[in-house]
Amino acid sequence: MIYWVRHKTTYTYEAEVTYARCVLRLTPPSNTAQTLLDNAIAITPEPSDRLKRIGPFGEETLTVVIENPHKVLVIEATSWVDVHAPPPPDAAASPAWEAVRAAAFEISSLEADSPAAFLYPTARTPLAPEITNYARKSFRAGRPIVEAASDLMTRIHAEFVYDSEATTVSTPATEAFKVRRGVCQDFAHIMVAGLRGLGLPAAYVSGYLRTNPPPGRPRLQGADATHAWVSLWCGEADGWVGFDPTNAILARDDHITLATGRDYGDVAPIDGLTLSPGEQALKVEVDVVPESELAERAGDAKPVGRPARRPISA
């Protein structure tokens, strides 16, 4: 399915900003589950310098420097993405999780998607006995890894409360786990921390959800902004499998990957610094619309049409 994705971020500053340097991760990658067809990033005021790079986990970054004094900064990324997620693996037929753990620690590859990069703790996903023991309840001896991870995902969905006021963007997994509340970022961090505590390679994925569901299906939690889920390496045969603990579903054709890393710090859509006194206000607007439904849209955000362009390599 081909999607049009619009991600608009508006910063409004109390006092004039004289200098800003931002790192943008707003270009979806091409991988086995999706193909990037087109991407454009518009910035107002116009940057004085732009530099594209590929990050350590394969993500495309755009670093911009803005030297024009301003009180409003608008960053709008639009993308066309063809999502073609492979069929989910047979959970019961997946290998035992202990076998996957042993295989992961034998891998020496340092490629961007190597399991070796996702085995170790970070500041936001520390190794915490309480989280590891919570995850261990789903991983009894010999249990197939996809089945066990699905059980952990479902437990997090059932036992934690979605509460946008309970945490902030810098809250570590241990604090969110303690209060059993948070948002998609927190649920993903908790699941990642639990899996790594068991010795399994788990990645944090930032991305988008389809804004409005197909008829007869519920609207997914997290569809109003960027979303987060977990990618777990499930062995050589099944590879990386996406688990969405916020909605208790596997990542499929409603999920669009923006960037993958060890935790949110690796994949934040926008970060950087500004030189300005006073406070700032942030507004984020996200639309994820199938191409077949674009004709029904109205207003300035409606795109003209998908460019006739070849897929963009990640």
Side-chain angles (χ1 to χ4, degrees):
M1 179 177 292
I2 295 175
Y3 288 97
W4 175 73
V5 181
R6 170 178 173 263
H7 183 160
K8 182 178 181 181
T9 305
T10 304
Y11 294 92
T12 305
Y13 303 99
E14 182 181 1
E16 192 172 69
V17 174
T18 57
Y19 177 89
R21 182 180 183 276
C22 303
V23 179
L24 315 180
R25 302 176 186 88
L26 293 169
T27 303
S30 291
N31 53 38
T32 57
Q34 65 184 42
T35 301
L36 178 63
L37 302 176
D38 193 71
N39 173 258
I41 300 176
I43 304 168
T44 305
E46 181 65 27
S48 58
D49 191 24
R50 296 179 182 234
L51 176 63
K52 286 186 178 182
R53 291 176 174 165
I54 299 299
F57 305 105
E59 73 280 11
E60 181 176 305
T61 67
L62 174 64
T63 300
V64 299
V65 174
I66 303 170
E67 297 176 306
N68 292 328
H70 59 279
K71 296 186 73 171
V72 178
L73 171 62
V74 180
I75 301 171
E76 184 170 6
T78 54
S79 304
W80 291 90
V81 185
D82 184 358
V83 180
H84 41 78
D90 183 340
S94 60
W97 69 271
E98 298 97 333
V100 173
R101 177 178 62 185
F105 278 98
E106 292 178 357
I107 291 175
S108 59
S109 169
L110 297 179
E111 294 297 319
D113 62 347
S114 170
F118 303 97
L119 284 166
Y120 303 101
T122 67
R124 287 184 168 92
T125 57
L127 295 185
E130 63 272 25
I131 300 179
T132 300
N133 290 334
Y134 179 84
R136 198 185 306 277
K137 293 178 181 178
S138 295
F139 286 78
R140 63 176 179 267
R143 192 172 193 185
I145 188 168
V146 176
E147 182 180 285
S150 296
D151 183 67
L152 175 59
M153 169 185 71
T154 302
R155 287 172 53 220
I156 293 173
H157 172 74
E159 298 170 14
F160 289 71
V161 177
Y162 191 94
D163 181 356
S164 60
E165 303 297 323
T167 57
T168 69
V169 70
S170 60
T171 300
T174 48
E175 291 186 21
F177 181 81
K178 187 180 301 182
V179 298
R180 296 293 202 277
R181 309 179 81 88
V183 294
C184 56
Q185 171 183 303
D186 303 297
F187 301 161
H189 277 159
I190 289 168
M191 186 168 177
V192 165
L195 292 168
R196 290 186 190 153
L198 296 171
L200 296 170
Y204 179 101
V205 185
S206 169
Y208 307 104
L209 288 175
R210 177 174 176 165
T211 304
N212 294 309
R217 286 173 54 184
R219 193 169 191 266
L220 297 176
Q221 189 74 264
D224 294 319
T226 53
H227 190 51
W229 60 94
V230 177
S231 186
L232 173 66
W233 190 70
C234 296
E236 290 291 345
D238 293 325
W240 291 93
V241 179
F243 297 85
D244 182 348
T246 304
N247 295 290
I249 57 175
L250 295 184
R252 300 285 295 123
D253 286 347
D254 285 341
H255 292 71
I256 300 171
T257 296
L258 185 56
T260 300
R262 297 163 301 176
D263 63 23
Y264 175 78
D266 289 334
V267 301
I270 301 173
D271 62 24
L273 62 88
T274 58
L275 296 181
S276 172
E279 301 294 325
Q280 71 175 31
L282 169 65
K283 181 181 180 181
V284 179
E285 303 167 78
V286 171
D287 290 295
V288 181
V289 185
E291 184 179 34
S292 59
E293 297 177 10
L294 287 175
E296 302 171 10
R297 291 183 59 89
D300 296 337
K302 181 178 178 179
V304 175
R306 176 163 59 92
R309 292 185 54 178
R310 299 176 64 183
I312 300 174
S313 299

